[in-house]
Amino acid sequence: MDNRESKKVTKKITVSGIVQGVGFRPFVYNIAKKHGIPGTVRNIGGLVEIILQSSEEKYNDFLKDLKENPPYGSKIINIETEDIKEREFRGFRIIESRDDEEISIIPPDLPVCESCERELFSEANRRFLNPFINCMSCGARYTIIEELPYDRHNTTMRDFDMCPSCREEYTSPKNRRFHAQTISCYDCGPYLIFNNLTDDNELTENDAFEEAAKIIESGGIIAVKGIGGYHFACSPFKEDTVLKLRELKGREAKPFAIMFESVDSIRQYCIVSEKEEGLLKSNARPIVLLYLKNGSMAPSACQGSIYCGAFLPYTPLQMLLIKRCGPLIMTSANISNKPIIKDDQEMLSLKSPLLNGVLYNKRRIVRSVDDSVAKVVDSTPQLVRRSRGYVPYPVFCPNDKKELQIFAAGGDLKASFCLYKNGNAVMSQYFGDLEERTVLERYKASVKDLCHLLKITPDIAVCDMHPNYYSAKFAQSLDIPLIYVQHHHAHIASVMAEHHLEGQVIGVAFDGTGYGTDGQIWGGEFLICEGAEFKRAAHLRYTPVLGGDASMRDAAKTAVCFLISSGLDQYIKDERKNIIKAALKNNINTVLTSSMGRLFDAVSSLLGIRHENRYEGECAAMLEKEAVLALRKGIEPKKIAFEINQKSDLIEIDPKPVLESLCHHRYSAGIDSLALGFHYAVADIILKVCEIIRKEQNINTIALSGGVFQNTVLMERVLKLLRDKYFNVYYNVSVPPNDGSIGLGQTFIGLER
Ligand code: ZN
Ligand code: ZN
Ligand code: FE
């Protein structure tokens, strides 16, 4: 007997976090065996419950192993231990799952792990080149779970009978596929199918793969079934092909994401820092926005952007395709603004001469999830679109109101709702813009789906104040108590929620558009926020602009409106000057806006950079590009400054001197120097206003949010300025700064009320 043996303890250990669907029970089994400890382990709801009996020393060794080497893909949030009554055990066993009322943390979908990747390319392995290889720590999860607990019969893998060899692995505790619910092989399926969309002859397995690869190599476009839906795949090097893809998708100009075999391969085209490499390789395998080196990609792939959205393969099939064909454009298979296609029948019935085939399999996708998009700013990974790999992992919002369950509808653009229960705020996947009917339908269906999966029955709903928001109308239709939250307040509250901020906060919310408490369109806001309350402290001066979607797109028109309202008519070259002036004068379709996003559009047009937003934020992105080029060339920014008008307790920021200076120097100074000067002027005014507020109200904490803060040049400048003056600055990290954060902010306010 071990001479360390002492008093015997019987313990119940409850582990919460991402502990289901990642091989946690087999992991526990193995460490218990290693220490010779008898007991049991099981899933209850989303938790793992371990009961064991051992000496105190062995128990401590067990806990140490549990905490220090958790399996790939898992994340322990909390471990609770409790002494229980002594009882009889026969060895250590994994026992049947029990359903439970606890909130369940469902694992996000996981990329191919290193062990599976090795097997995928080792000839001797029985899963050599199998496009569906997976194990207990990798593969589809969230997208194939129909019910909890996470067990094979509750996933769409129940459509495939386990073959004897897989069953053997599944039931052998020493095997790394022990209790791997998604276990599969050549014998049990799923298997690859290729459909050329012209006749009924489908190719299967290797023939299917070969045919698809050949089509891609010869400049064709195919649809490939992935984890959360289909992708359109094609070469990024063939200009004709990329133009065809734009036509097929109905996407005019937005850059396409490109999948590469490895980080080394990405480095041939993009600049990759160490942090960015980490992000690319992280379990979520997001699309990472990287600075593009010049040339070599087809011009239409990235459309003059300085960024390339690059990512690494996360399914075995993607690994095989890219190894064979080289880098590929992998863009969500959807048509214009419709949702990503996930069902085989829908994909196969898309008859377009531009699409040359569909490479798929018969494993059903329960819920669609787009690829996530992220970048590194201020040496920190930041999400731009939070979806596959992150959803449904919760944001933890500790609160006393444990019993309260909340549905927060989010916003209408980049829609994503939020469900709250027991301190966990679960943000849904990204849906797109709810104005598109099919997106709205998927959004509504997903609310039902996630409420069911997470066993949430909301007591209250929270939504935006905008009278025409579809998300708000949906929240109203639920017939439960409803809280309305101002858009920019929600932006700031999302930062407070993420960073658990308490007390007063100066919120700087800069974005394109949000409905204000005065019925005007806000978007250049300084709010003083505390708990569920806020007060507007400063804003960009109201500018009358022409309303409607067409006007949002038309940056040249926006520029004219800004010049007119600043009394700078002499600089207007646009031939529509008089018509626009008359419309503004007679109040035809006119709205007042304090939007910083619109000012970025106007400046982009004034400087002759871009006059039209062919996709959301194009003008601002191209303006940022000029600023980046100036920084790279070491060009001095033109000195430009906003003016401040203090009106009783509300500060107004006047863009007139900025616009005047830009117009004045438009042909004498470099565009890059002016673009950088504008970015710095925006950063300067943020500092200046925050300093005034700090002086008056003694608030030292700042929260930055809103789509404008996706601008890296602005963000890095403003962080530096504020930190130099000893402000504590927070911004969105685990939810995007754009309207993807609204749901979380609404939830926070719902909890605080
Ligand atoms: Zn694996
Ligand atoms: Zn099998
Ligand atoms: Fe917004």
Side-chain angles (χ1 to χ4, degrees), residues 127 270 281 299 310 362 606 669:
R127 293 188 180 84
C270 304
K281 289 177 170 169
K362 294 203 169 156
L606 283 181

Side-chain angles (χ1 to χ4, degrees), residues 79 100 109 189 192 218 254 267 325 327 380 438 541 606 631 648 706 726-727:
I79 297 179
D100 199 270
D109 303 296
L192 270 189
S218 61
K254 200 175 172 195
R267 282 215 167 90
C325 305
T380 311
T438 46
R541 193 202 62 199
L606 283 181
L631 285 172
S648 61
Y726 306 105
F727 280 104

